[in-house]
Amino acid sequence: QVQLVESGGGLVQAGGSLSLSCAASGSIFSINTMGWYRQAPGKQRELVASVMRGGSRNYADSVKGRFTISRDNAKNSVSLQMVSLKPEDTAVYYCNAGVVSRDLFRESIYWGQGTQVTVSS
């Protein structure tokens, strides 16, 4: 079994900064892509940013230049640094990882429980 535990998030004023962290634990052989998604009320969940094991990054156009994703392969963790936050960034943010487990040796997708980010205007 694999668990993703998120931390960070909260309430911040527009223009402010927040950081999110996510650590994977359990029967992990390796982790391929790790990423962050978000879901605002009444909207579909969308990709915010992702990073492959080798370091290649991908960002949603709406966050380019403001958000930075990073990962620590040794710690099975991923972080999202968010600056210049806007009210439209308000959402529940979910950590996501493609994990190859030690028992199955095939990739499965896991999600964190979600953490609220609220940006006030």
Side-chain angles (χ1 to χ4, degrees):
Q1 190 68 301
V2 174
Q3 299 83 35
L4 299 183
V5 178
E6 300 151 349
S7 60
L11 174 64
V12 66
Q13 289 188 335
S17 302
L18 282 175
S19 292
L20 305 180
S21 296
C22 172
S25 63
S27 181
I28 299 170
F29 177 74
S30 67
I31 302 178
N32 296 325
T33 302
M34 301 188 80
W36 291 93
Y37 287 71
R38 67 186 181 187
Q39 187 167 19
K43 295 187 177 181
Q44 290 188 333
R45 190 173 297 190
E46 63 176 1
L47 174 67
V48 176
S50 63
V51 56
M52 299 180 69
R53 183 171 181 81
S56 178
R57 295 171 173 82
N58 180 48
Y59 295 95
D61 288 342
S62 59
V63 307
K64 283 181 180 177
R66 300 187 298 120
F67 291 11
T68 302
I69 190 170
S70 60
R71 67 184 283 175
D72 185 332
N73 291 331
K75 296 182 178 179
N76 291 328
S77 64
V78 63
S79 298
L80 186 69
Q81 178 69 34
M82 306 180 289
V83 301
S84 301
L85 283 160
K86 304 175 181 180
E88 51 263 44
D89 294 317
T90 296
V92 177
Y93 284 69
Y94 297 91
C95 176
N96 166 281
V99 179
V100 178
S101 64
R102 292 185 181 277
D103 50 357
L104 296 178
F105 284 100
R106 61 176 174 81
E107 183 179 273
S108 298
I109 303 300
Y110 292 89
W111 293 89
Q113 78 281 5
T115 184
Q116 178 69 46
V117 170
T118 302
V119 184
S120 63
S121 57

